[in-house]
Amino acid sequence: GDSVTQMEGPVTLSEEAFLTINCTYTATGYPSLFWYVQYPGEGLQLLLKATKADDKGSNKGFEATYRKETTSFHLEKGSVQVSDSAVYFCALSLNTGNQFYFGTGTSLTVIP
Amino acid sequence: DAGVTQSPTHLIKTRGQHVTLRCSPISGHKSVSWYQQVLGQGPQFIFQYYEKEERGRGNFPDRFSARQFPNYSSELNVNALLLGDSALYLCASSLIGQGNQPQHFGDGTRLSIL
């Protein structure tokens, strides 16, 4: 079935370090891919998206490229800040509907 | 502009009771979806509604039901509550419910079952 597998956390980084959170997917057809971020006590906020192969989504210094050949959508940021501490979710949506399949989330803590 | 609003923010119930959770989508959004998020896990899809019709249903028992109103707001109902229903219930809205559109989430209703 359709699913998303995320790198397990928690991840702890020093400020200004490079971040990669791995995400791979399994889907029938051609999904759209998303990264969401969840801050403590809040709902999910859209971070970035890509709707077709080779698309790159970017926002707030975060980037992810839709790689069909490796079925991946890894999240990267060149220099993390303390304010980036949150839980990050990779998700896919099939273009035949709007049901989202989420990964289990990766908790990121950035220390000064 | 107001985002997705959910009520109540917190709720405590006992086993066997029923509960109704409410959601108002972003203005102009016609699709509403409901998700259950258990602590430490990603959200799990429960229902999607578009133009008052059910468009999708996840793997949840019949104790879970929902509906969408003419103003596009929505209710999620859960009957015969079990301890395992304790979770954060998230509502999300999108323009017309197509797969390439992002969903916009509310802050959720935290349901605790005693």
Side-chain angles (χ1 to χ4, degrees):
Chain A
D2 306 302
S3 65
V4 170
T5 302
Q6 266 184 257
M7 159 183 165
E8 290 192 13
V11 174
T12 302
L13 295 174
S14 297
E15 207 166 22
E16 299 183 2
F18 184 84
L19 168 71
T20 299
I21 301 177
N22 290 338
C23 171
T24 57
Y25 68 89
T26 301
T28 52
Y30 304 97
S32 293
L33 301 172
F34 304 82
W35 278 100
Y36 281 82
V37 58
Q38 188 173 35
Y39 298 98
E42 298 184 11
L44 280 72
Q45 298 177 23
L46 177 68
L47 185 57
L48 52 83
K49 70 170 186 174
T51 58
K52 61 182 187 297
D54 300 325
D55 270 1
K56 177 186 281 189
S58 61
N59 186 26
K60 300 180 182 179
F62 290 89
E63 292 183 341
T65 301
Y66 187 161
R67 301 286 188 199
K68 183 180 174 184
E69 62 276 13
T70 54
T71 62
S72 65
F73 193 55
H74 304 321
L75 182 68
E76 297 182 336
K77 186 175 186 183
S79 176
V80 294
Q81 305 301 312
V82 172
S83 58
D84 294 326
S85 298
V87 181
Y88 293 81
F89 292 92
C90 184
L92 72 81
S93 176
L94 301 177
N95 289 325
T96 53
N98 200 218
Q99 173 180 346
F100 274 48
Y101 296 85
F102 285 88
T104 54
T106 302
S107 175
L108 170 67
T109 300
V110 180
I111 55 177
Chain B
D1 287 343
V4 176
T5 57
Q6 292 186 241
S7 64
T9 54
H10 294 85
L11 204 50
I12 299 174
K13 292 284 188 179
T14 57
R15 284 178 294 174
Q17 287 188 311
H18 70 273
V19 67
T20 299
L21 310 181
R22 295 178 174 83
C23 171
S24 293
I26 291 172
S27 178
H29 284 194
K30 298 182 178 181
S31 175
V32 169
S33 297
W34 287 95
Y35 292 82
Q36 180 194 65
Q37 186 179 17
V38 174
L39 194 62
Q41 298 294 318
Q44 297 292 315
F45 173 75
I46 309 176
F47 287 110
Q48 185 201 5
Y49 277 79
Y50 175 65
E51 291 283 11
K52 296 173 289 180
E53 292 192 3
E54 182 183 300
R55 285 291 187 87
R57 172 186 286 257
N59 189 24
F60 280 80
D62 291 343
R63 299 184 296 108
F64 288 77
S65 63
R67 56 180 175 167
Q68 187 178 34
F69 298 99
N71 67 354
Y72 303 110
S73 67
S74 178
E75 287 183 351
L76 175 70
N77 295 283
V78 187
N79 293 324
L81 288 166
L82 303 174
L83 292 177
D85 296 331
S86 294
L88 180 68
Y89 288 85
L90 294 166
C91 174
S93 74
S94 62
L95 277 170
I96 58 173
Q98 287 187 339
N100 59 358
Q101 293 178 354
Q103 294 194 349
H104 301 268
F105 286 81
D107 287 341
T109 294
R110 174 74 62 188
L111 176 63
S112 298
I113 310 301
L114 303 180

